[in-house]
Amino acid sequence: MGWPLRWFGALGLALLVGCAQQPPRDDSLYQALGQRAGIQKIVEGMLLHIAKDERIVEHFRKIDIVRLRDKLVEQFCVEAGGPCRYTGDSMAESHKGQNLTRSDFNALVEDLIDAMDEQNIPVATQNRLLARLAPMRGDVIEK
């Protein structure tokens, strides 16, 4: 193979690699939630609601709330398409042995919605976040 064919082969390979790259990350939800600062306000509001929620507060009594806040912010940031990295345990691992019920899960979601309402997050944006978090439900309840 002469140099022109090798050059075209290398060019073709470079074009294929360039085309195979992932599309740019959609961070529109991250932006709509107010970026990391907005997500932190939402998480902190949710934790305040949980602290007053007799249905589920017992599940949080022996938990390091600061660490929980930080991991939830990371996780919500990742799920929203933000530039974060989640460094916590998997949902299945962190909820293992807690035997959380559907009612417990639903109460937490209600507390999250209340926190988003307080931050004036539009319902459509709330639904986008909830849809991204919903697949974790199976890793949380009845484990």
Side-chain angles (χ1 to χ4, degrees):
M1 175 160 42
W3 77 266
L5 290 177
R6 276 196 300 252
W7 185 81
F8 283 116
L11 177 63
L13 180 61
L15 288 173
L16 284 174
V17 169
C19 292
Q21 290 178 352
Q22 296 295 324
R25 179 184 323 162
D26 176 10
D27 71 346
S28 62
L29 178 56
Y30 175 73
Q31 298 298 329
L33 293 170
Q35 302 176 359
R36 190 174 182 102
I39 291 169
Q40 184 164 331
K41 286 180 186 177
I42 291 166
V43 168
E44 288 173 350
M46 179 184 74
L47 292 173
L48 288 172
H49 282 279
I50 289 168
K52 299 177 216 166
D53 191 336
E54 293 300 321
R55 300 172 295 175
I56 59 173
V57 69
E58 279 304 314
H59 295 295
F60 295 85
R61 293 245 189 255
K62 296 180 182 177
I63 291 178
D64 178 347
I65 293 298
V66 173
R67 183 177 190 284
L68 176 62
R69 179 204 61 202
D70 293 347
K71 296 307 159 197
L72 287 172
V73 169
E74 287 176 5
Q75 188 168 47
F76 285 20
C77 179
V78 168
E79 294 299 325
C84 307
R85 194 172 133 254
Y86 178 66
T87 61
D89 295 330
S90 71
M91 288 297 97
E93 185 61 33
S94 60
H95 293 89
K96 188 176 180 179
Q98 292 187 25
N99 299 314
L100 300 173
T101 65
R102 289 184 191 110
S103 295
D104 295 331
F105 185 85
N106 292 341
L108 184 133
V109 171
E110 289 172 22
D111 292 336
L112 172 57
I113 290 169
D114 288 344
M116 289 191 286
D117 283 342
E118 289 172 356
Q119 295 300 317
N120 299 310
I121 304 296
V123 171
T125 302
Q126 291 182 30
N127 289 339
R128 287 176 63 200
L129 178 62
L130 294 172
R132 295 210 184 159
L133 297 174
M136 296 177 200
R137 181 179 181 270
D139 290 335
V140 172
I141 62 170
E142 301 169 357
K143 298 292 176 191

